[in-house]
Structure formats: C-alpha cells, structure tokens
Amino acid sequence: MNPLLQDWTGPAGLPPFAAIAPAHFMPAFEAAMAAHRQEVDAIAANPAPPSFDNTVAAFDASGRLLNRIEALFYTLAASATNEALQAVQREVAAPMAAHASWVAMHQGLFQRLDALMQQRAQLGLAADQQRLLERLHLEAVRAGAKLAPAARARYAAIMQRLAELNTQFAQNVLADEAGYRLILKSEAELAGLPEFVRAVMKQAAVERGLEEGAHLVTLSRSHVVPFLTFSARRDLRQQAWAAWVSRGEHEGETDNRAIAQEILTLRNEQARLHGYTNFADYQLADTMAQNQAAVQGLLKRVWDAALNATQLEREAVQAAALSHGFMDKVEAWDWRFYAEKVRQARYALDEAELKPYFPLEAMVAAMFDCAQRLYGLRFEQRTDWPVYHPDVVAYEVFDQSGAHRAVFLHDNFARVGKRSGAWMNALRWAHRNGFAQSPVILNNNNFAKGAPGEPTLLSLDDVRTLFHEFGHGLHGMLSETRYERLSGTQVLRDFVELPSQLMEHWIADPTVMQRHAKHYQTGAAIPHELIERIKAAELFNQGYETVRYTASALVDLAIHALEEEEAPDIVAFEQQTLERLGAPADCGMNHRLPHFQHLFVGDSYASGYYVYLWAEVLDCDAFEAFKEAGDIFDAATAQRYREQILAAGNSQEPGAAYRAFRGRDAHIEPMLKGRGLIPV
C-alpha cells in the first residue's frame, strides 16, 4: 500500500503528496533499487548480440521507478524538509551511492556498451543515438567501470562515503541558517530600514511566533542583503555579516570544516584512481572548458579587470562614508550600506522607490508573457492540482497549438525547512523512449513573503533571480529529446547556465519593464526616467559583485587542484589563497568554503563554480543575436534558439549546438561590456 510504489493516477501524474509520509521512502527506495538491479541484469544477460535498442535505449528506459521516487524525495528534502525526512536522507545516502556504483560498474552491461562504442561508426545511428551511447559509456568509465576489481571496490566505497558527507554538509548549513535569529525590537534597532524591509522582517517574526512588534533578520539572502544595505546600526550589520559568512564554521554538531576536508581528500583519491593528479583535472575533462588553463584564462582576465573597477568603487564608497561622518575604514559589513548612499546620490535611485513596481505576481506574469511571445507557451494556474506545500503554485503549460506541454510548479518563498538559494529541478523529464512523457518542472526561490493581504515586493536582484530560474525551467519544459538521459538541463555543467542567464536579459529590457512593472498601489507603469536611472546605475558596484563571485570561483579551482593526498585545513587554505590573489577583504566572497553548497553538496559544481561566468560569455553573445535581428522577440531567432538549445537538451555537443544557433563560436566582448569591464 506504499503510495510511492503505486501508479500516480492523479492530475497530470503528480505525486499524491498528501498521502506520502517520510516512513514510506526507505522501503520504496529498497524496492525500486531491487527492481532497477533486475532491469540492468536482464539487459546484461540478453543472449542477443548488443544493439542500440536492446542495450542503450533499454538502459535509458531502466530505473524509472527509482528515478521517480528519488526526484520526489530530494524535492521534499530541499523544499519542505523535517527531522524525519532528514533522518531518511542520512540513511539512504550510502545505499543510493552504492547502487549507482553497482549500476555504473556492472561488467555485463559495460561490456555491451563498450562493444557498441567500438563499432559505433558502423551502426548507422542517428546523431542523438550516437550522443546517448557516447555519454552513457563515458559516464560509466568516469564512474569506475574500467578499473581493476580492487580499485572498483575502493571507488564504490569512496562514493558511498562522499554521499554521506555531502548530506551532512547540506544539513549542517540548513541547521545554521535555521538556528540564527537577529531579533529587532526597538526603533533604535530598526534605524535606517525602509518600510518595505521592516514589513518582511515583521512577517518573518510573525511566522515564527515571536512577540508582538518584533522584527526578525534570518540568514535568508532576501533578509541579510537588505539589512546590510539599509541598517544604520553598524554593530548589528557586523553581527548579521558575521553570522552570514560563518555558516558551517561553528564548533559542534554543525561544523563543516572537517567534513569538507574529508570530501576533498576523497575526491583526490577518486581522481588518482582514474589516473589524474588532482580532482580539478578529472572534473574538467568532461566540460566545455576541458582543462584548468582555459578556466584560469577566463577567470584571470575578469579578475584583473574587476579589481581595477572595484578600486574606483571603493573610492566612491569611502567618500560617501566620510560625507556621512564615518571616519574609519570601510569594512565588509559597511560596503553595501555606503554603496547604497552612492547609488542614491549619483543616480537618484532608491530601492524603496523601485520595489513597489515589482510585485511578485506581476513579475511572474511578465516572465509568462515573455515565454508566450518567444515560444508560444501559455500558463494556466491549476488550484485543483496537488502540491507539497501551500506556498507552491501549480500551472499547466500549453504550447502554441493548445496541446499540453508541461507541468510547472512555482515555489517562491523562504521558510523554515527550505534550503537557501534558488534552483530548478524536475519531478519528471520529457522523453519519447518507449512512450511520450511530458515534463514536471519546478522553480524554487527564497523571497521574503509580504504580510497577509500585502503583495510580495521584489528587488531588482530578486526579479533577475526569478527570470534566471525560469530560464532553467524553460530548458526543461521545452525539451524534445527522444531519450530521457539527454533531456532538459542534463547537459555539461558549463553549458547549463546559458538558458537561465539569457532569460535575465528580457526583464532588463526597457520595453518589457515598461509593459509589466506597474506600481502595486496606483497601477501606473514604471516611469521612463526611472528606467533610465536603472540603466545608468546597472554597472555601478559591478566590480564589487564580480570580485565576490570570481574570488569564490578561484578558491574553488585552487583547492581542487591540490595534488597532496590529504586536503588542508579549508579555512587556512581559503585565507592563504585570497591573500595570494590580492582579494580585497572589504568585498568578501559569494560563498566561503564551510558553507559552499555548490561544491560540497554533491560534486556537480566542484571545480566548476566558474560556469556562471563561462555561460555569461555565451548568454551575452546569444542575446546579441536577438538585438541584431532588430527585435528581442524576433520569431526566427527565438525558433532557432528553441530548436538548437532548449529542445535539443544534451543530444549534441554543446559547442556544436551553440554554433548551430549563432553561426559561430561566442565572442567574449559582450560579456565584458555588460559588466562594465571594458569600454562600451
């Protein structure tokens, strides 16, 4: 009677969320893993010679019950977790890693894949079939299938231990974030905070049952950044900054320092088993960049330009501090506060003036309108469909012919039990292998919810995040691949951010903003002169933001490039690396190592935090194609982009996919101009 093991016959095949309890997951995982093992054994034992259909396509179609349960479980673990789910997450981590290793290293299956790989030129395969064969074979090799028996056993043990450590790392960060409370009770403690900031912090206090009149600052980015930007209380800014940057670095049960160190040590052993001298070389071999030199070349060019830009910004920030009577050195917890003073003085741009034009509901309508104008999609809210939390809004997505295209679940608010950040994931990928399956795509954000009866007002940064994740969502919703393993965002890591970052360009366009950004009280469209001020100010503080991002990317690459068997103390290494780079302490980093979830909650972004910048080269160049067409909604350009990038998923090599869209490789200059790092 386990609902996870039954057919999901409800609306759009969505899970019966209300019927599912944490206790259902472990037995369901065990049953699904057993079923998957039987499927793999059957493929390997097939007496017929290996063919694409009986081996590659069959392997792509295997494990669907396990994939379904796993996708649901990790959705809940990230977005609506509790102690019971976290206990299951810890319990299942090692068995799932062991199962993945068993499948990848299955010698009978691998021998069939290997035989097909050797004769692939003679098989008459379509391009997507050859791509699938090559990807499955490569992934098996990179997971240890070619290792000697003793090495395979050690490799599997490493992967099991890494899964346990990754899980603990994530839960520790969540615990530190959930456990922190900066409670503001008096007007003196609220000094400098605009009404829109006070409103969200008051609502956070109400949601957590704090006393009447209290305001709460959590470690959600949508709380911390506004607080650091507007609070006139330097002592409280310092408290909030210290808590934000020290997540995962506290003595006790949530200390991530030793966990990250062990992860790094095991990763280097993993790389050595494959014949690489360090993990960065192993990881980058399966990317567009391919090697450290290519990544370092990009990061170094941006780093040097960003340091120069930051020095000019520092002078302006320090001058603003002096003009407000602050005589000391501007520290990291001061920068945003005085940068906002510069922005207001230099560009007459005030966040309090902007936010009323960006209510969440209108911005969601804006992104849906852009999707309709570009790709003919229509989004219809379905209040009768099951969701896993009351915050989640379900939509049925229709294509231009009126046919069902996808399900889109939108989960926008920060809350207890939800990890920080923003992300896209899928409960179901699109494919046509065996039968046609439409996708179920989720977008998660962490916006601070408005008070009851009041709209949630977004900052410009929030709006960009909304559109960014929707770009990932479109990549999943518009996928038209035959094979599930090639569907949607399952592409190389330094290509996956292209659709997300490209989507940000539309909300930055003045015509789109004028059409959708309307004052939530008066209904008046955002004035042209305010848009002009936004455009004039958009390059301000870009040096600061670029330094913060690039510092994190350089530290990531450096620590994964170490060749010693034992990883160093991560905090000491981070500090030494920043000093060697000449990183300015008053800027800080996007993510410090003790809470760097991109790196240590799985390895997808390990040695790969650079990918946002790599993809920015692509997205800025891609948007130039729309501008060159004379209309950012140009139908022919949108169709070409949809076919070659969004619909294609991982069915062709990403460099070839981009050239098929653009007619050439990407140029770096639009990205550098977009960040203000070279003259326009």
Side-chain angles (χ1 to χ4, degrees):
M1 298 300 294
N2 190 324
L4 295 171
L5 298 174
Q6 298 171 12
D7 290 337
W8 294 344
T9 57
L14 286 168
F17 293 109
I20 295 168
H24 290 130
F25 278 102
M26 202 62 206
F29 273 123
E30 291 168 349
M33 285 189 282
H36 192 202
R37 286 193 293 270
Q38 290 178 354
E39 291 170 333
V40 172
D41 279 338
I43 296 169
N46 190 332
S51 67
F52 180 87
D53 287 339
N54 71 21
T55 301
V56 182
F59 185 38
D60 179 69
S62 71
R64 285 180 176 164
L65 175 61
L66 180 59
N67 293 342
R68 184 183 78 170
I69 295 168
E70 185 178 10
L72 172 59
F73 177 75
Y74 286 106
T75 291
L76 298 178
S79 303
T81 196
N82 52 46
E83 290 184 4
L85 274 174
Q86 289 186 324
V88 176
Q89 194 175 5
R90 293 189 295 271
E91 183 181 2
V92 80
M96 283 289 288
H99 176 76
S101 291
W102 182 89
V103 172
M105 296 179 184
H106 193 293
Q107 290 303 287
L109 173 62
F110 181 71
Q111 287 167 10
R112 295 176 74 89
L113 286 173
D114 200 41
L116 291 169
M117 187 68 179
Q118 304 312 315
Q119 54 182 307
R120 64 190 182 281
Q122 289 78 47
L123 296 177
L125 300 178
D128 62 335
Q129 293 176 323
Q130 181 160 322
R131 178 71 173 171
L132 179 62
L133 170 59
E134 291 170 350
R135 292 304 305 168
L136 292 178
H137 184 271
L138 178 62
E139 287 165 12
V141 171
R142 288 176 61 81
K146 275 193 168 182
L147 299 177
R152 287 203 302 271
R154 176 57 188 159
Y155 198 89
I158 289 171
M159 301 315 291
Q160 290 175 56
R161 179 59 180 158
L162 283 171
E164 294 173 336
L165 294 167
N166 297 154
T167 299
Q168 191 60 58
F169 189 98
Q171 292 189 0
N172 287 349
V173 176
L174 181 60
D176 276 4
E177 290 173 348
Y180 178 77
R181 293 184 175 188
L182 176 57
I183 301 173
L184 312 175
K185 297 181 179 179
S186 67
E187 186 60 33
E189 291 173 329
L190 294 164
L193 298 179
E195 184 53 41
F196 72 87
V197 176
R198 295 185 183 205
V200 299
M201 292 175 180
K202 184 176 181 179
Q203 178 62 22
V206 169
E207 290 174 355
R208 289 157 181 80
L210 301 185
E211 63 189 78
E212 180 71 24
H215 295 70
L216 177 65
V217 182
T218 74
L219 292 182
S220 167
R221 183 178 177 85
S222 59
H223 278 192
V224 169
V225 170
F227 186 76
L228 293 172
T229 302
F230 295 107
S231 175
R233 286 288 298 270
R234 187 173 192 250
D235 58 331
L236 297 180
R237 292 201 309 270
Q238 185 174 2
Q239 284 184 41
W241 172 268
W244 196 31
V245 301
S246 65
R247 289 167 291 157
E249 198 183 359
H250 303 294
E251 297 285 349
E253 293 183 355
T254 64
D255 192 341
N256 272 336
R257 288 170 289 188
I259 291 173
Q261 190 173 11
E262 185 178 354
I263 289 172
L264 292 164
T265 297
L266 290 172
R267 283 177 178 168
N268 254 3
E269 184 180 358
Q270 175 190 356
R272 288 195 302 276
L273 285 169
H274 281 293
Y276 293 91
T277 59
N278 59 68
F279 186 79
D281 286 344
Y282 162 73
Q283 192 78 334
L284 291 171
D286 189 30
T287 63
M288 290 183 73
Q290 295 194 326
N291 56 62
Q292 291 188 55
V295 177
Q296 288 282 10
L298 174 63
L299 293 178
K300 186 68 166 60
R301 182 170 181 181
V302 172
W303 178 252
D304 291 342
L307 287 178
N308 292 333
T310 303
Q311 180 54 36
L312 296 176
E313 293 167 1
R314 180 177 294 105
E315 293 168 5
V317 166
Q318 191 71 56
L322 289 171
S323 71
H324 285 79
F326 181 71
M327 309 300 291
D328 295 333
K329 180 178 180 291
V330 170
E331 302 286 358
W333 49 91
D334 301 316
W335 186 292
R336 282 182 169 87
F337 181 73
Y338 289 111
E340 181 66 14
K341 304 298 184 189
V342 176
R343 191 167 73 136
Q344 291 176 9
R346 187 177 291 180
Y347 304 103
L349 201 60
D350 186 344
E351 189 85 358
E353 182 184 8
L354 289 177
K355 290 192 81 163
Y357 290 100
F358 300 115
L360 174 61
E361 188 174 335
M363 293 301 98
V364 170
M367 70 185 199
F368 288 168
D369 181 59
C370 288
Q372 192 280 322
R373 296 170 71 187
L374 286 164
Y375 311 117
L377 300 181
R378 180 171 61 85
F379 291 75
E380 181 180 315
Q381 186 174 343
R382 297 301 302 261
T383 57
D384 55 328
W385 283 3
V387 291
Y388 58 83
H389 189 277
D391 286 346
V392 180
V393 182
Y395 297 91
E396 185 169 10
V397 187
F398 301 91
D399 65 20
Q400 52 266 61
S401 69
H404 174 87
R405 158 63 59 174
V407 174
F408 180 57
L409 302 181
H410 214 191
D411 186 352
N412 282 315
F413 298 117
R415 58 177 176 268
V416 175
K418 183 179 182 181
R419 74 172 177 86
S420 59
W423 65 96
M424 167 268 187
N425 66 296
L427 283 178
R428 193 171 69 213
W429 293 111
H431 70 81
R432 303 189 308 278
N433 186 8
F435 58 91
Q437 177 170 278
S438 62
V440 177
I441 303 298
L442 295 87
N443 272 180
N444 271 267
N445 294 296
N446 264 282
F447 304 137
K449 187 183 293 187
E454 294 293 323
T456 294
L457 302 180
L458 304 182
S459 67
L460 272 172
D461 188 53
D462 289 336
V463 175
R464 294 186 193 101
T465 299
L466 185 78
F467 271 66
H468 177 104
E469 297 307 328
F470 188 59
H472 283 310
L474 290 172
H475 202 176
M477 286 183 269
L478 291 175
S479 181
E480 295 180 2
T481 60
R482 252 195 298 190
Y483 302 104
E484 186 168 4
R485 176 57 191 82
L486 302 178
S487 183
T489 60
Q490 299 177 102
V491 297
L492 298 191
R493 184 56 60 184
D494 45 7
F495 192 65
V496 74
E497 299 297 337
L498 164 60
S500 56
Q501 293 177 184
L502 179 63
M503 198 66 205
E504 295 179 41
H505 289 270
W506 271 270
I507 194 54
D509 182 79
T511 60
V512 175
M513 198 174 288
Q514 182 78 24
R515 178 175 176 136
H516 293 285
K518 298 181 179 179
H519 198 286
Y520 79 100
Q521 291 173 319
T522 67
I526 188 169
H528 282 291
E529 62 88 17
L530 183 52
I531 295 175
E532 301 245 338
R533 282 187 273 147
I534 291 171
K535 297 299 286 183
E538 66 183 6
L539 296 183
F540 174 69
N541 222 31
Q542 277 299 300
Y544 169 85
E545 297 293 352
T546 303
V547 161
R548 285 175 53 78
Y549 165 78
T550 312
S552 294
L554 287 166
V555 168
D556 160 38
L557 194 61
I559 203 162
H560 283 105
L562 295 176
E563 299 180 3
E564 293 78 9
E565 288 191 11
E566 292 292 325
D569 176 290
I570 64 165
V571 174
F573 180 86
E574 175 185 282
Q575 186 58 39
Q576 292 161 6
T577 304
L578 293 175
E579 289 173 1
R580 174 176 57 81
L581 292 169
D586 52 7
C587 293
M589 307 166 66
N590 270 6
H591 308 285
R592 295 192 54 240
L593 291 175
H595 58 255
F596 207 159
Q597 297 191 78
H598 286 77
L599 308 192
F600 297 116
V601 182
D603 66 0
S604 294
Y605 286 89
S607 306
Y609 192 60
Y610 76 91
V611 301
Y612 295 96
L613 193 60
W614 186 277
E616 193 173 338
V617 174
L618 300 176
D619 78 69
C620 290
D621 185 77
F623 195 63
E624 288 293 310
F626 285 90
K627 293 197 290 186
E628 290 164 8
D631 178 4
I632 63 170
F633 292 99
D634 177 68
T637 308
Q639 182 64 21
R640 193 168 69 251
Y641 175 73
R642 175 176 178 167
E643 290 175 355
Q644 302 299 335
I645 307 296
L646 298 178
N650 197 13
S651 58
Q652 62 177 322
E653 187 274 323
Y658 190 82
R659 287 188 291 275
F661 160 64
R662 194 68 170 100
R664 56 167 174 75
D665 289 325
H667 296 164
I668 193 174
E669 287 74 19
M671 181 276 288
L672 295 173
K673 290 176 182 177
R675 283 185 175 253
L677 300 179
I678 61 172
V680 177

